[in-house]
């Protein structure tokens, strides 16, 4: 098994059979010790964060599998904090696709002239480039097509998939009386060119609130996974 | 005549007949004495800049009138540095619509991971919010519709008009062997709700090059208007 990439919150290994192994770490993104799902730096290390993130990811990916929504997920080993996934090529150098139900975070920082904090947004989808040096700039459908990152047809598919997956997560959270404010995903092209959800779906990917109070990722994972 | 607004590069007066008078000033946008059409501050004052900008604006608006492209233009008085225009309401608190033929400026700052400096772009259109406090953030068609700034139908019309007008300016510049790299416009809704080009089309709205050399706004206006 070959170590091929060290990410901010996980490491990636290539398996002999052509699949990949994601090793979840206890590092979470943020700044100065405060968690922020939109941050580009590791802000803090929380013991058990890797396994808790993986458990929630496993849960969501299995729900998506039942709904026949295409993802890279094959299986997960909670004890080892690893997930086995199909190979998938990211679009360009990687995109983040965000689905928003409430105006918070970077949406509010950009469009605060027109939006109130916490205002409902109708499963609004936007794409940002993964580019730490340029602070992950937002990019339009037209620019993605012009720069050969994603065709117009792929954009439509990506947007539809994003809404379906985000709505699934939102419904799962609602079962525990938790409100999803926003969530970010990564996608890739699988072997046959099909668009797959990749990466993870854990507390670190989303902002969740209960009765108007923000829930930290580890706390969210605890609530979501208690029987 | 009532003074109703003081802008960075012009002042606005309301006339008795319901039309408006734009008074062109000698201030141009930029930073630290260097012209930048994308800047939000007055960078320098150049004697004659107001009249030169108005002369070029008059020229382009009259070319657009011949092509039956809707604008707010009625007439201009070069000596007084004023232009009379129809009333038009801006979208939200104002938008800038940019058409790009080459990757320079903020496009390159955002998408430099995927674009080379000066790379040809296919009359790429993007919209930014006029919001100095938030550095004029770019905004997508979906966000414009969701925030009730512009409907999807209006966006399509705006994009089509932008390309038509930018191509007209590009063709005019090409007659003097000048290449248009990018240009920004403002639009508004006229009395009957029709989308009109508003503001001005002068050297300060565009980046123009001759044989790869950038041409300053005043120089551009001089070249364009010499017979």
């Amino acid at each position: 098994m070959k170590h091929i990439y060290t990410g901010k919150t996980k490491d990636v290994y290539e398996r002999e059979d052509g699949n990949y192994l994601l090793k979840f770490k206890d590092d979470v993104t943020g700044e100065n010790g405060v968690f922020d799902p939109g941050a580009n730096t590791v802000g803090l290390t929380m013991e058990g964060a890797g396994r808790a993130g993986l458990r929630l990811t496993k849960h969501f990916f299995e729900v998506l599998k039942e709904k026949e929504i295409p993802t890279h997920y094959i299986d997960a080993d909670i004890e080892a904090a690893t997930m086995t996934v199909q190979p998938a090529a990211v679009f360009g150098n990687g995109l983040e696709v965000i689905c928003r139900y409430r105006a918070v975070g970077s949406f509010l920082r950009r469009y605060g002239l027109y939006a109130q904090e916490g205002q409902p947004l109708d499963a609004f989808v936007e794409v940002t480039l993964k580019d730490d040096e340029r602070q992950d700039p937002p990019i339009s459908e037209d620019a993605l097509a012009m720069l050969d990152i994603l065709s117009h047809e792929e954009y439509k598919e990506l947007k539809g998939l994003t809404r379906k997956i985000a709505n699934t997560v939102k419904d799962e959270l609602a079962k525990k009386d938790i409100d999803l404010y926003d969530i970010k995903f990564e996608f890739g092209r699988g072997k046959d060119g099909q668009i797959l959800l990749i990466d993870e779906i854990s507390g670190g990917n989303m902002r969740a609130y209960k009765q108007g109070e923000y829930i930290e990722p580890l706390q969210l994972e605890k609530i979501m996974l208690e029987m």
Side-chain angles (χ1 to χ4, degrees), chain A:
Chain A
M1 208 164 61
K2 206 169 68 182
H3 177 223
I4 55 163
Y5 179 73
T6 300
K8 284 190 277 272
T9 62
K10 55 185 107 56
D11 294 330
V12 181
Y13 299 85
E14 188 174 358
R15 286 165 44 122
E16 307 282 316
D17 64 4
N19 289 326
Y20 288 79
L21 200 76
L22 308 183
K23 168 85 178 171
F24 283 58
K25 301 195 280 193
D26 286 343
D27 298 331
V28 301
T29 58
E31 275 179 29
N32 307 319
V34 179
F35 166 72
D36 176 356
N40 273 328
T41 46
V42 167
L44 60 166
T45 300
M46 296 192 289
E47 212 188 310
R51 274 190 192 85
L54 177 57
R55 284 181 69 208
L56 193 57
T57 295
K58 181 178 192 288
H59 172 74
F60 285 127
F61 273 110
E62 289 177 354
V63 172
L64 293 174
K65 197 174 190 175
E66 276 170 38
K67 291 181 176 257
E68 296 183 352
I69 293 171
T71 78
H72 70 159
Y73 178 77
I74 297 174
D75 59 33
D77 179 338
I78 303 294
E79 204 44 50
T82 59
M83 180 163 88
T84 307
V85 301
Q86 297 175 52
V90 297
F91 300 99
N93 293 293
L95 304 177
E96 288 192 338
V97 188
I98 301 143
C99 188
R100 301 183 180 276
Y101 297 96
R102 296 272 187 173
V104 290
S106 63
F107 184 91
L108 197 69
R109 285 195 293 275
R110 275 185 263 127
Y111 308 131
L113 189 57
Y114 296 91
Q116 299 290 316
E117 182 166 5
Q119 164 187 324
L121 304 176
D122 188 18
F124 170 68
V125 174
E126 63 183 355
V127 178
T128 61
L129 295 179
K130 290 186 76 155
D131 185 351
D132 289 1
E133 199 187 316
R134 296 177 184 84
Q135 291 83 47
D136 295 348
I139 185 162
S140 69
E141 177 181 345
D142 284 350
L144 286 164
M146 188 182 56
L147 295 172
D148 285 326
I149 300 171
L150 203 66
S151 72
H152 286 287
E153 292 65 37
E154 284 176 323
Y155 186 89
K156 271 170 198 65
E157 198 186 329
L158 191 79
K159 185 165 142 182
L161 269 175
T162 297
R163 284 196 159 144
K164 245 192 236 175
I165 299 165
N167 286 341
T168 300
V169 173
K170 190 173 191 289
D171 290 347
E172 288 289 306
L173 265 60
K175 291 178 187 170
K176 307 271 184 175
D177 292 319
I178 296 172
D179 298 314
L180 181 63
Y181 276 29
D182 58 25
I183 185 161
K184 64 173 181 183
F185 301 114
E186 291 185 42
F187 290 89
R189 286 187 194 95
K191 275 178 197 158
D192 54 358
Q194 190 188 25
I195 297 183
L196 305 176
L197 178 69
I198 63 170
D199 198 47
E200 63 180 83
I201 309 180
S202 67
N205 297 70
M206 63 187 85
R207 285 193 187 85
Y209 285 69
K210 190 160 188 164
Q211 290 166 338
E213 288 238 349
Y214 172 68
I215 308 172
E216 291 279 348
L218 268 179
Q219 179 64 12
L220 176 71
E221 287 152 5
K222 204 168 153 241
I223 299 172
M224 287 305 296
L225 294 164
E226 66 199 6
M227 295 304 140

